[in-house]
Each structure stands twice: as C-alpha cells, then as structure tokens.
C-alpha cells in the first residue's frame, strides 16, 4: 500500500497561482502512475491529470489544459500540480492518487472514479 501526503493548498485570489505537492511513501514501486483529482462541496470528484512516476508520459483533462500542469521530480519523488489563473470554481479539496496501472489511472482521471491509493487532500479556496 502507498501513503500519499498532499500539501500546498491555501486561499488565493482569482487569477492567482498555487503549487500543490504530493509525497508518496510505502510500497511506491508497485505504483507506476500518479494523478491529481479534486472534489468541490456537493459535487462529484473529477480528475485533473495523470503522469507516469518515471516521468515522460502525462495526460491532462481537456478542461484543465492551459491552467493546470502535472509534473514529477523523480530525484525527490515528489508529484506536483501547478495551477495558474485560478478561478472561484476551482475551489475544492485536491487529492493525489497512485495506481499500479496506467490504463486504470487514465480511466479514473477521465471519469473521476476508480480504485487507487488516495491522500487526505489539501484544500484550495479561490475567492476575492
């Protein structure tokens, strides 16, 4: 099993930026792939992006492209989500997830559902 610890959330004004971080621990070698999700109050969880832990291949949901960028520092083993041009509708709890299957994680990112190891989340609030 993999434990995931997210950080970097906070309150920001519209148009602002944040960088979220996720540090995995435990059986990380069994998880090839990691992703970011979010869930706003009263709404279903939605996927944002996924990336191979070894780097290289990544996928970002179309609606998130241009503002959200997923990346991974392989040396430090830290997953990032850079968020720019934040809007009030981006307010949500943001979660990172790990999965041992790229097709499975992709499906989860596309649908917002599916099996994975989950972190506790970090809150992002965008308001003026």
């Amino acid at each position: 099993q993999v434990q995931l610890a997210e950080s970097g959330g906070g309150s920001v004004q519209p148009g602002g930026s944040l960088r979220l971080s996720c540090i995995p621990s435990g059986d990380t070698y069994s998880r090839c792939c990691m992703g970011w999700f979010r869930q706003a109050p009263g709404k279903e969880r939605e996927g944002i992006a996924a990336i191979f832990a070894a780097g290289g291949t990544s996928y970002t949901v179309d609606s998130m492209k241009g503002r959200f960028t997923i990346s991974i520092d392989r040396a430090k083993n830290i997953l990032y989500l850079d968020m720019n041009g934040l809007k009030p509708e981006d307010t949500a709890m943001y979660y990172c997830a790990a999965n041992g299957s790229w097709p499975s994680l992709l499906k989860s990112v596309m649908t917002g559902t599916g099996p994975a190891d989950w972190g506790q989340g970090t809150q992002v609030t965008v308001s003026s």
Side-chain angles (χ1 to χ4, degrees), residues 41-74:
K43 295 187 177 181
E44 295 184 348
R45 184 171 63 206
E46 61 178 333
I48 299 171
I51 191 168
F52 262 98
T57 302
S58 66
Y59 169 83
T60 302
V61 173
D62 285 345
S63 60
M64 309 290 183
K65 288 180 180 177
R67 295 195 302 123
F68 291 7
T69 303
I70 190 171
S71 62
I72 193 163
D73 184 327
R74 284 180 284 170

Side-chain angles (χ1 to χ4, degrees), residues 37 45 97 99 104-105 107-109 111-118:
F37 297 73
R45 184 171 63 206
N99 196 306
S104 177
L105 183 59
K107 183 178 180 180
S108 294
V109 169
T111 64
T113 62
D117 298 303
W118 296 96

Side-chain angles (χ1 to χ4, degrees), residues 3-113:
Q3 293 77 46
L4 302 166
E6 303 96 333
S7 62
S11 296
V12 63
Q13 292 185 342
S17 300
L18 281 174
R19 167 174 262 200
L20 306 183
S21 300
C22 175
I23 300 177
S25 61
D27 188 19
T28 58
Y29 292 102
S30 67
R31 302 294 188 263
C32 66
C33 319
M34 300 182 72
W36 286 101
F37 297 73
R38 69 183 185 184
Q39 188 166 18
K43 295 187 177 181
E44 295 184 348
R45 184 171 63 206
E46 61 178 333
I48 299 171
I51 191 168
F52 262 98
T57 302
S58 66
Y59 169 83
T60 302
V61 173
D62 285 345
S63 60
M64 309 290 183
K65 288 180 180 177
R67 295 195 302 123
F68 291 7
T69 303
I70 190 171
S71 62
I72 193 163
D73 184 327
R74 284 180 284 170
K76 297 180 180 179
N77 198 28
I78 300 175
L79 177 72
Y80 296 108
L81 182 68
D82 288 296
M83 306 186 295
N84 300 304
L86 285 165
K87 306 173 183 180
E89 50 264 42
D90 294 319
T91 295
M93 187 71 80
Y94 284 71
Y95 300 90
C96 70
N99 196 306
S101 163
W102 179 246
S104 177
L105 183 59
L106 270 186
K107 183 178 180 180
S108 294
V109 169
M110 291 177 185
T111 64
T113 62

